[in-house]
């Protein structure tokens, strides 16, 4: 179902969104417990599901995001900003995709994904507030919002100061409000599409769709798991929500292209493998150190395509084949538990617990080893690495809160981590969930709820390199987030 544009009853300026972030307390929702007013939570009803998708309201000409537009020249348009050139072509228009799994409020989960480099907490919060206005109740604790991490998605939606401008270009308020309303439109359309359903889950492995790109740890290692949540209505599969680890970009800044990129290619091939309409919804997982693969897939002869397009086809076909091979093993459920929780946690020097003299950046720091280049000797570290970062200025500090979510749809649990986690860090989290909470069917959703840069293990961080340079709260950031997620 394609979302139709709905007129919102109120527009939320960014100042109000940030104020709401700071003033809203931690929310926790437990099935069978009282709600915020002390009233009993209704028992779950019949299982319903709704699905929707629509193009992101981004014009051709908007700049892209995430490459670092340092000195890159190219097309100009009324929509590009100060640092990034305009786009002048589209290869798979970026989209919003959503599925609502509901047994009646509050036994609901909304999975919403955007073809963006990430989702920042003020953006997710604005969408939640817009939906509250439209639906008449809060979806704050059930909105699981992630980005596919395409660098060819639209930028200019972050109002957080000069360092973020280098990553995502200058803030464009009108474009930001269109993005918020567009995301709310798709979720609202998914609610309108609710129909009786059942859900199931399966587990695929897609080793040829990605490669280990991080040399500093001295490993050639990847985890190729693809957990899949299947939604069936009227006796046939109508949606698949899955997560897969792949740094979601093949095209470069000088391709000047808006694109769904790697995730879009995978979704398209998954959908093409059915004889009826199906919506595939891609969440990225531990993609920080996972570049797209180069599988050998034969292609039909045809017209020459721009660089990168054929690689997208081959990655998409390879992963989709692995997903389809796993669907015969779907375990279906008739009476699944459905719930989600969102928690805001403090983050920063003091929250993480650095001692005096270690990572001494009160407002955050980044690019600690960006200029050093690759050092692929795993036995070497950079002893003073935490003293070589570019500090965030006091006038535009990093947020001192971030967001985590966890929940369950039947036998499949899920947990989120903000930003770009590395494979070994994600495996540490999954291992602890299994050992400490007996949860061994967990869908890991990275790039979801917020964006806090890269996140790798501390020992790996001291080896430097690109992924280490992208930490914004230093060497302990990754494992601090794991501790909070396990809590």
């Amino acid at each position: 179902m394609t979302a139709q544009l709905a007129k919102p009853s109120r527009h939320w300026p960014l100042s109000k969104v940030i104020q709401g972030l700071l003033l809203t307390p931690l929310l926790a929702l437990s099935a069978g417990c009282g709600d915020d007013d002390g009233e009993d939570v209704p028992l779950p009803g019949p299982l319903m599901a709704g699905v929707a998708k629509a193009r992101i309201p981004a014009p051709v000409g908007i700049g892209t995001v995430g490459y670092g537009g340092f000195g890159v020249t190219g097309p100009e348009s009324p929509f590009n900003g100060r640092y990034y050139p305009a786009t002048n072509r589209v290869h798979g228009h970026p989209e919003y995709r959503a599925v609502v799994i509901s047994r009646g409020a509050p036994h609901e989960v909304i999975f919403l994904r955007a073809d963006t480099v990430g989702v920042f907490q003020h953006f997710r919060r604005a969408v939640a507030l817009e939906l509250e206005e439209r639906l008449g109740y809060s979806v704050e604790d059930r909105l699981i919002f992630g980005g596919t991490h395409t660098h060819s998605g639209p930028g200019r939606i972050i109002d957080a100061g000069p360092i973020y401008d280098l990553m995502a270009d200058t803030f464009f308020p009108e474009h930001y409000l269109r993005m918020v309303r567009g995301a709310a439109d798709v979720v609202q359309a998914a609610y309108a599409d609710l129909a009786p359903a059942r859900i199931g889950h399966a587990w695929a492995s897609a080793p040829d769709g990605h490669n280990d790109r991080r040399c500093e740890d001295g490993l050639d290692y990847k985890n190729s798991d693809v957990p899949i949540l299947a939604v069936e209505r009227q006796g046939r599969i109508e949606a698949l929500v899955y997560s897969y680890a792949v740094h979601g970009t093949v095209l470069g800044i000088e391709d000047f292209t808006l694109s769904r990129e790697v995730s879009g290619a995978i979704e398209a091939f998954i959908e093409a493998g059915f004889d009826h309409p199906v919506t595939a919804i891609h969440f990225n997982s531990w993609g920080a150190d996972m570049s797209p693969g180069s599988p050998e897939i034969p292609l039909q002869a045809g017209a020459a395509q721009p660089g990168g397009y054929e690689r997208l086809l081959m990655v998409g076909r390879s992963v989709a084949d692995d997903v389809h091979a796993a669907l015969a093993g779907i375990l279906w459920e008739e009476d699944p538990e459905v719930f989600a929780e969102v928690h805001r946690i403090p983050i920063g020097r003091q929250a993480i617990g650095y001692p005096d003299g270690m990572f001494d950046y009160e407002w955050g720091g980044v690019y600690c080893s960006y200029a050093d280049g690759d050092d692929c000797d795993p036995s070497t570290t950079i002893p003073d690495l935490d003293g070589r970062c570019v500090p965030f200025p006091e006038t535009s500090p990093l947020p001192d809160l971030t967001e985590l979510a966890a929940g369950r749809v039947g036998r499949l649990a899920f947990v989120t981590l903000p930003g770009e986690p590395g494979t070994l860090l994600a495996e540490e989290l999954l291992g602890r969930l299994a050992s400490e909470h007996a949860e061994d069917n967990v869908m890991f959703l990275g790039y979801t709820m917020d964006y806090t840069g890269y996140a790798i293990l501390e020992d790996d961080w001291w080896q430097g390199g690109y992924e280490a340079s992208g930490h914004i709260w230093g060497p302990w950031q990754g494992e601090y987030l794991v501790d909070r997620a396990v809590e």
Side-chain angles (χ1 to χ4, degrees), residues 160-181:
I163 294 182
Y164 278 104
D165 287 352
L166 293 176
M167 182 179 72
D169 216 337
T170 50
F171 183 60
F172 188 176
E174 294 85 354
H175 169 57
Y176 169 76
L177 289 174
R178 282 167 56 91
M179 292 284 286
V180 170
R181 294 175 206 147

Side-chain angles (χ1 to χ4, degrees), residues 4 7 89 145 150 304 372 395 457 464 481:
Q4 300 297 313
K7 182 182 291 184
R89 67 184 184 191
F145 191 6
T150 169
D372 294 332
T395 53
L457 295 170
L481 290 172

Side-chain angles (χ1 to χ4, degrees), residues 52-54 56-57 95-98 112-114 123 145 179 182-183 186:
K53 62 182 178 180
I56 283 177
E95 292 182 341
Y96 289 122
R97 296 184 168 211
L112 171 65
R113 80 105 182 99
F123 186 23
F145 191 6
M179 292 284 286
V186 171

